[in-house]
């Protein structure tokens, strides 16, 4: 049985590997991933595992975002250190739900449950997979460290996020900007895709901050925001149509990195 472990805590993944080895000698650890992005890449480039152990809370967001990025057609046993997700839906629709620290008897019970699934059970489980994810919860506020305090900022007041040399800033509609200790990958994963988009490698921009769009000579788009930013914001020729669709519909989710 080939198993993928999705877990961003090294100690937790090491413990799970050891427990699986003791519980079932037929288990083969096909891979260990630590984030949404890494998991999607792994699933796109490797044969599908028989089973996934997936922590709900990952370094770049909640694991349910993986379902938005890739078709999931393999069963999952969810794990978490928090019990706010211990809902009836998990008990009814999922193979199992394990609360950390995972105990050996709980692990054995989850594997037994998986091994007893018939093809019909598995098909039913997979059809219900998408219903397990709670309603999306996008950020509506940021807490920005400013000297020795935390500044609460409404997401409505954000014009863009900008990164250079691995440092990220958040630019506000009042023209001020502050350091923000997140990568753009982490930033975009937490924002409503109808309102924010990854414009290129340097910028995540707010839809309601776009002041005008100029078609550049090489079919790129030059985007001007309602605040002054350190460099021009270009949308590549290949991504221009996607960006215009997002601007007009407000519901197009995409990563527009050049």
């Amino acid at each position: 049985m080939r198993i993928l472990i999705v877990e961003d805590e090294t100690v937790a993944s090491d413990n799970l590997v050891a427990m699986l080895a003791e519980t079932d000698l037929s288990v083969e650890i096909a891979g260990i991933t630590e984030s949404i992005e890494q998991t999607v890449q792994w699933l796109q480039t490797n044969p599908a595992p028989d089973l996934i152990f997936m922590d709900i809370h990952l370094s770049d967001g909640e694991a349910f975002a993986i379902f938005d990025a890739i078709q999931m057609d393999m069963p999952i046993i969810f794990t978490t250190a928090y019990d706010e997700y211990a809902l009836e839906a998990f008990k009814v629709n999922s193979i199992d739900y394990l609360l950390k620290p995972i105990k050996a008897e709980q692990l054995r019970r989850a594997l037994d449950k998986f091994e007893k699934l018939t093809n019909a059970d598995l098909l039913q489980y997979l059809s219900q997979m998408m219903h397990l994810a709670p309603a999306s919860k996008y950020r509506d506020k940021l807490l920005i460290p400013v000297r020795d305090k935390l500044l609460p900022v409404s997401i409505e007041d954000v014009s863009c996020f900008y990164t250079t040399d691995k440092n990220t800033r958040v630019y506000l509609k009042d023209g001020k900007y502050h350091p923000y200790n997140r990568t753009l990958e982490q930033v975009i994963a937490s924002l409503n895709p109808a309102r924010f988009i990854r414009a290129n490698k340097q910028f995540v921009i707010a839809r309601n901050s776009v002041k005008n769009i100029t078609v550049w000579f090489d079919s790129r788009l030059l985007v001007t925001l309602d605040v002054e930013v350190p460099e021009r914001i270009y949308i590549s020729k290949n991504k221009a149509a996607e960006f215009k669709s997002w601007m007009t519909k407000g519901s197009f989710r995409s990563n527009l990195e050049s």
Side-chain angles (χ1 to χ4, degrees):
M1 174 168 46
R2 297 177 67 255
I3 289 179
L4 171 65
I5 295 175
V6 181
E7 170 62 66
D8 65 349
E9 296 179 3
T10 302
V11 173
S13 60
D14 288 347
N15 288 342
L16 182 54
V17 169
M19 291 176 66
L20 285 167
E22 293 175 1
T23 304
D24 191 333
L25 296 178
S26 71
V27 165
E28 172 193 347
I29 305 301
I32 299 175
T33 59
E34 301 179 354
S35 66
I36 295 167
E37 182 178 5
Q38 195 177 94
T39 303
V40 170
Q41 290 176 348
W42 192 96
L43 291 170
Q44 289 175 330
T45 56
N46 290 275
D50 299 308
L51 177 64
I52 298 177
F53 280 85
M54 182 179 288
D55 188 6
I56 292 174
H57 302 274
L58 300 174
S59 59
D60 54 350
E62 293 182 359
F64 300 114
I66 296 170
F67 302 164
D68 295 331
I70 191 171
Q71 178 67 36
M72 299 293 289
D73 55 2
M74 67 288 294
I76 298 173
I77 294 174
F78 292 99
T79 67
T80 185
Y82 306 95
D83 61 4
E84 70 263 31
Y85 286 102
L87 307 175
E88 192 64 28
F90 283 99
K91 299 175 184 178
V92 173
N93 296 331
S94 67
I95 291 176
D96 216 332
Y97 176 91
L98 303 180
L99 194 61
K100 298 177 184 177
I102 299 170
K103 297 179 174 60
E105 61 269 22
Q106 295 173 323
L107 180 61
R108 177 69 266 174
R109 185 170 61 247
L111 290 174
D112 286 344
K113 187 175 179 181
F114 166 68
E115 290 169 351
K116 290 176 182 177
L117 286 177
T118 65
N119 287 337
D121 292 332
L122 187 55
L123 287 173
Q124 182 179 14
Y125 166 73
L126 293 174
S127 71
Q128 296 174 148
M129 176 74 73
M130 297 305 296
H131 300 296
L132 293 177
S136 296
K137 296 179 181 178
Y138 300 113
R139 287 183 182 272
D140 57 8
K141 279 189 178 296
L142 303 178
L143 287 177
I144 301 174
V146 179
R147 292 184 290 276
D148 59 345
K149 297 181 180 180
L150 291 174
L151 176 67
V153 173
S154 171
I155 206 70
E156 294 285 348
D157 295 329
V158 174
S159 287
C160 70
F161 298 84
Y162 169 74
T163 190
T164 181
D165 298 326
K166 298 183 179 179
N167 295 314
T168 302
R169 298 175 184 171
V170 54
Y171 283 77
L172 307 180
K173 291 183 179 297
D174 62 4
K176 296 179 181 178
Y177 65 83
H178 302 280
Y180 192 58
N181 189 27
R182 296 286 188 278
T183 66
L184 289 193
E185 288 76 15
Q186 293 170 328
V187 166
I188 195 63
S190 68
L191 300 174
N192 187 335
R195 297 167 62 183
F196 287 85
I197 199 166
R198 182 76 179 265
N200 53 40
K201 292 180 179 179
Q202 284 73 46
F203 286 93
V204 167
I205 64 177
R207 185 166 173 258
N208 66 1
S209 289
V210 176
K211 188 175 179 180
N212 60 60
I213 303 169
T214 303
V215 179
W216 213 239
F217 69 92
D218 54 359
S219 298
R220 290 183 298 167
L221 301 178
L222 174 61
V223 178
T224 303
L225 301 184
D226 53 3
V227 295
E228 186 175 342
V229 291
E231 58 182 285
R232 289 183 169 186
I233 304 174
Y234 290 106
I235 307 296
S236 69
K237 175 182 177 180
N238 292 338
K239 303 297 182 180
E242 295 178 2
F243 181 80
K244 288 186 283 187
S245 177
W246 173 76
M247 278 299 301
T248 55
K249 296 179 181 178
S251 60
F252 189 89
R253 180 164 195 154
S254 177
N255 183 337
L256 297 188
E257 287 190 43
S258 299

